[in-house]
Amino acid sequence: MSSSTSSQGVVDRVQNFVSEHKHAVLIGTAAALVAIGGVAYYASSSSSGPRGDVEKGEGKKDKKKGKKKKTAKDEDGPILEERKPKASAVEEEEPNYTAEDIARMSEEERTKAAASLKAKGNAAYQQRKFATAIDYYTRAIAVTPKPEPVFFSNRAACYVNLNPPQHEKVVEDCDQALALDKNYLKALNRRATALEALDRLEEALRDFTAAAILDKFQNMAAAESVERVLKKLATKKAQEIYASREKRLPSYMFTSAYFGAFRPRPLPELPENPSQGDQTLRMALEALGASDYAHAFTLVNEAIEQGISWDAGKAEALNLRGTFKFLMTDIDGAKEDFLKSLELDPSLTQTWVKIASVWMEQGDPKKAFECFDEAIKHNPNDPDIYYHRGQVLFIMNEFADAAENYTKSTELDDKFVFSHIQLAVAQYKSGDLAKSMATFRRTLKAFPDRSEPQNYYGELLLDQQRYPDAVEKFDRAIEIERAKSTPMNVLPLVNKGLALFQWKQDIEAAEKCCQEALEIDPECEAAVATLAQLSLQQGKIDVALKMFDRQAQLARSEPELVNALTYQYATDAQVKFMQAYPEMAAQLGQMARMM
Ligand SMILES: *[C@@H]1O[C@H](CO)[C@@H](O)[C@H](O)[C@H]1NC(C)=O
Ligand SMILES: *[C@@H]1O[C@H](CO)[C@@H](O)[C@H](O)[C@H]1NC(C)=O
């Protein structure tokens, strides 16, 4: 629905234009790991001292023993660690120790034998004799008196290089290595890579996240891996959820915004002897007029089942049912209804406009524009056509053409507030600030009782960082909305919270605004999304997770769902990290707070 051409366009589009800004201020960029990205930025811009050798991914000892060891270890290959003792040890042939042999050996002898076997394993690895190397490491593991994580991690590296790679074995060995040393970066990265190959994405994300944090975000590859796995995971889950989810109508606000993007039309005249279906259709249209959407949906379905006696009526009914299907993201079903509707009554321009949205949704703007042309042929003076064509052009960033089309729509009917607002926004987007402000001021004057011009003008002011002016506009919009008899649009309330946050870093006030918005409209996605980000900023991870979950439930389209799930999984991986590495939690929390 993201690219639909309807008034939701206004809500969404204009919201987006602010949300670019919103995301910049709150933590990170949209679908890219918010928290991690933010922390990464902070950590890398303020880290003390050079960490040039980190790319080599040194083993565990490095961490504990500090810098002295580094020079020696730098001789090590980039893949395997600890190739000492020196090559001379490799010369001697190592016996194949039996359990009895091992039982007879002293601890010292066993340690020496293990080190020697490992050295041979490393040498074999360097020669790409991976099966041989595996055998040496296996023997080293058997003979060593004290389990060494590096034996397992190195053997895992061999399993990776077998043809085909044995990812399960890699995971098993890295499990062992990490049980012995949970800060072992190479083992973490190896396991993560194997888990990703096995499509065990949640676990892969857990490991990559831990690796990125343990590495203090110095390693770009780790951050990129987190991002890549997050995207795969969120996309996969979104598809699953989306396919199994029951289709339902979006929130009241969304639905009413959609229908509100079309000028009201008189009810169709019923035939002289209306059938029962004809009468039900009329009731459906009346329910629609009263903004009783659920009822209108039931009635229009009933009417079609009962049978409508005249073609224009049938076309109206199919137009309405198709619209509901479209809103429920049943795009194919919507298309079918719209096509039938146009067959019965090609002069119904509204259906042409709506089927244009279907084509946009299906990624075919050329077809969409043909529909607008067709609609104009039937009624060149229908202002809806130009408004919606403007919306499509707006989405395609064709702001000059969009502005022209909004203007044309306004010329035909200047009572429709959204064509004024969208004109102002299009002017703003094409960089003409003065014109945009003038359009807004004219619109404010022409629609003193509408909250929308106040709200969207406020967003523009917010974008300009004119905070007091923005808050004043939002306050006025809230006042108008509160006085209405129809359900309140809480968007200005959310915007006010955002403005207070950006202006004074007043998180508490921002939260209060969003919470109030949610009390009034529990389905307000903007409030949920903003609250989630604010909670994350304060390290209230549990609240943030709850909000991301709610955001996922409210998400209408697959991309929106992917977006919410991305946040959810990114946060969840960090929670898991904090549980597994409690000693790092304080540090992470501190970094998060300083973002
Ligand atoms: C060592 O012994 C094991 C089992 O007894 C056997 O599978 C392996 O091939 C032997 N390796 C060498 C190098 O003799
Ligand atoms: C509207 O947009 C179309 C492009 O689709 C453009 O050709 C036309 O000139 C614009 N203006 C009007 C008034 O239709």
Side-chain angles (χ1 to χ4, degrees):
M1 189 110 354
S2 51
S3 58
S4 93
T5 51
S6 11
S7 91
Q8 156 263 354
V10 174
V11 179
D12 257 23
R13 289 302 123 211
V14 187
Q15 263 303 101
N16 273 0
F17 119 87
V18 165
S19 72
E20 286 160 20
H21 189 51
K22 181 156 63 189
H23 283 133
V25 172
L26 297 174
I27 296 169
T29 47
L33 43 139
V34 196
I36 297 266
V39 174
Y41 175 74
Y42 171 72
S44 57
S45 60
S46 66
S47 74
S48 54
R51 294 182 49 93
D53 60 339
V54 169
E55 282 305 313
K56 288 199 165 175
E58 293 304 333
K60 46 155 200 156
K61 295 271 163 58
D62 192 4
K63 278 231 155 62
K64 289 164 197 159
K65 300 214 170 146
K67 298 203 168 157
K68 264 180 259 160
K69 250 204 138 184
K70 280 183 188 168
T71 37
K73 297 199 72 188
D74 280 347
E75 295 164 8
D76 289 352
I79 304 167
L80 289 172
E81 45 271 30
E82 296 184 307
R83 282 172 56 212
K84 294 179 299 169
K86 298 257 186 298
S88 60
V90 184
E91 310 301 315
E92 309 151 25
E93 197 36 64
E94 208 61 48
N96 201 351
Y97 301 105
T98 62
E100 293 83 56
D101 292 339
I102 293 170
R104 271 197 300 272
M105 289 162 77
S106 74
E107 188 160 322
E108 204 179 318
E109 286 170 325
R110 289 173 62 188
T111 306
K112 211 171 141 230
S116 168
L117 283 163
K118 187 189 71 173
K120 289 193 172 121
N122 289 2
Y125 182 94
Q126 296 299 337
Q127 293 163 22
R128 306 192 59 80
K129 294 179 180 160
F130 300 115
T132 312
I134 287 172
D135 187 47
Y136 280 124
Y137 293 131
T138 305
R139 287 159 66 190
I141 288 165
V143 78
T144 186
K146 178 174 147 283
E148 290 288 348
V150 65
F151 299 169
F152 293 102
S153 183
N154 282 6
R155 191 169 65 179
C158 299
Y159 286 126
V160 173
N161 281 288
L162 290 181
N163 192 10
Q166 298 210 20
H167 298 298
E168 261 107 6
K169 293 263 191 209
V170 176
V171 173
E172 270 172 38
D173 270 354
C174 292
D175 281 347
Q176 299 266 15
L178 287 161
L180 295 165
D181 177 5
K182 66 176 177 178
N183 294 313
Y184 198 168
L185 266 180
K186 272 190 184 172
L188 261 177
N189 278 314
R190 262 181 206 133
R191 188 170 69 182
T193 306
L195 288 166
E196 185 182 356
L198 292 166
D199 208 33
R200 287 160 64 179
L201 298 176
E202 263 176 271
E203 293 162 278
L205 178 63
R206 173 204 63 198
D207 283 355
F208 277 131
T209 301
I213 301 173
L214 288 175
D215 219 1
K216 304 218 165 49
F217 306 102
Q218 296 298 296
N219 186 346
M220 285 311 284
E224 279 163 21
S225 300
V226 172
E227 224 168 304
R228 180 187 64 246
V229 175
L230 253 182
K231 194 170 162 207
K232 273 196 213 170
L233 179 60
T235 307
K236 183 175 146 194
K237 290 284 170 180
Q239 278 164 357
E240 279 169 25
I241 295 174
Y242 207 65
S244 65
R245 182 155 96 175
E246 210 185 310
K247 304 268 185 224
R248 54 167 196 226
L249 270 183
S251 71
Y252 173 85
M253 272 307 149
F254 188 90
T255 310
S256 69
Y258 186 92
F259 282 107
F262 296 88
R263 274 100 168 156
R265 290 175 304 142
L267 291 179
E269 293 256 347
L270 294 197
E272 287 221 351
N273 295 308
S275 69
Q276 198 191 353
D278 296 348
Q279 284 168 5
T280 313
L281 171 63
R282 187 162 178 110
M283 282 157 63
L285 293 168
E286 280 165 359
L288 183 68
S291 309
D292 186 354
Y293 304 115
H295 210 181
F297 180 51
T298 316
L299 285 168
V300 75
N301 277 314
E302 254 176 59
I304 291 170
E305 262 167 46
Q306 288 164 349
I308 293 161
S309 70
W310 84 117
D311 278 357
K314 266 188 219 162
E316 281 288 348
L318 287 163
N319 169 316
L320 183 56
R321 190 176 71 178
T323 307
F324 279 118
K325 286 182 179 172
F326 185 72
L327 282 168
M328 295 160 96
T329 67
D330 173 8
I331 306 300
D332 292 330
K335 190 176 182 178
E336 205 179 304
D337 279 355
F338 291 150
L339 284 173
K340 258 192 253 162
S341 168
L342 286 170
E343 233 170 74
L344 292 161
D345 184 1
S347 72
L348 193 47
T349 48
Q350 195 186 82
T351 312
W352 284 113
V353 169
K354 285 175 175 171
I355 203 168
S357 316
V358 168
W359 288 119
M360 284 307 287
E361 205 63 43
Q362 297 186 331
D364 196 341
K366 193 166 161 277
K367 278 265 185 9
F369 283 110
E370 282 169 18
C371 291
F372 290 126
D373 289 341
E374 198 61 38
I376 290 170
K377 269 189 217 156
H378 289 285
N379 182 2
N381 294 322
D382 180 350
D384 282 351
I385 304 170
Y386 303 96
Y387 171 70
H388 289 276
R389 186 160 71 179
Q391 295 290 80
V392 169
L393 292 162
F394 187 101
I395 291 164
M396 298 169 75
N397 292 334
E398 309 262 3
F399 299 117
D401 271 354
E404 246 186 52
N405 277 268
Y406 294 136
T407 304
K408 171 90 180 171
S409 179
T410 305
E411 278 165 16
L412 291 167
D413 168 21
D414 64 359
K415 297 285 177 293
F416 184 62
V417 69
F418 291 116
S419 53
H420 297 262
I421 291 174
Q422 281 296 86
L423 173 61
V425 177
Q427 286 165 336
Y428 184 70
K429 290 284 250 180
S430 50
D432 203 337
L433 181 63
K435 241 192 209 163
S436 170
M437 304 271 270
T439 305
F440 262 123
R441 279 193 294 268
R442 264 201 317 276
T443 310
L444 288 173
K445 223 184 240 165
F447 297 89
D449 302 327
R450 294 294 295 253
S451 71
E452 293 89 345
Q454 308 278 348
N455 181 52
Y456 295 119
Y457 189 39
E459 291 193 0
L460 185 149
L461 293 167
L462 184 57
D463 204 46
Q464 296 285 303
Q465 299 179 17
R466 290 176 53 186
Y467 300 119
D469 295 335
V471 169
E472 188 201 310
K473 293 287 171 272
F474 294 140
D475 274 334
R476 177 71 193 126
I478 294 166
E479 198 183 327
I480 297 171
E481 281 294 326
R482 285 200 207 280
K484 273 184 5 185
S485 55
T486 48
M488 175 176 175
N489 183 347
V490 295
L491 225 43
L493 207 49
V494 179
N495 279 334
K496 182 183 174 183
L498 211 53
L500 290 174
F501 175 68
Q502 291 178 17
W503 179 11
K504 304 174 177 173
Q505 278 71 53
D506 190 345
I507 290 195
E508 228 174 282
E511 272 187 340
K512 241 177 93 186
C513 286
C514 292
Q515 272 152 2
E516 191 187 339
L518 270 189
E519 270 161 39
I520 299 167
D521 179 4
E523 294 188 300
C524 176
E525 230 195 319
V528 173
T530 309
L531 264 182
Q533 300 291 348
L534 291 171
S535 308
L536 209 55
Q537 280 243 319
Q538 298 169 86
K540 294 189 205 160
I541 303 280
D542 47 338
V543 183
L545 270 179
K546 243 183 254 161
M547 287 298 150
F548 288 136
D549 186 47
R550 202 157 154 186
Q551 206 182 333
Q553 280 164 23
L554 289 175
R556 286 175 306 266
S557 65
E558 217 169 292
E560 284 172 340
L561 191 53
V562 170
N563 186 40
L565 290 173
T566 301
Y567 284 117
Q568 204 178 341
Y569 282 119
T571 311
D572 190 52
Q574 288 171 66
V575 172
K576 284 194 186 123
F577 174 81
M578 289 198 231
Q579 285 161 352
Y581 299 82
E583 69 283 1
M584 293 283 294
Q587 197 182 334
L588 182 68
Q590 197 183 7
M591 286 196 277
R593 271 192 294 282
M594 293 183 81
M595 286 194 280

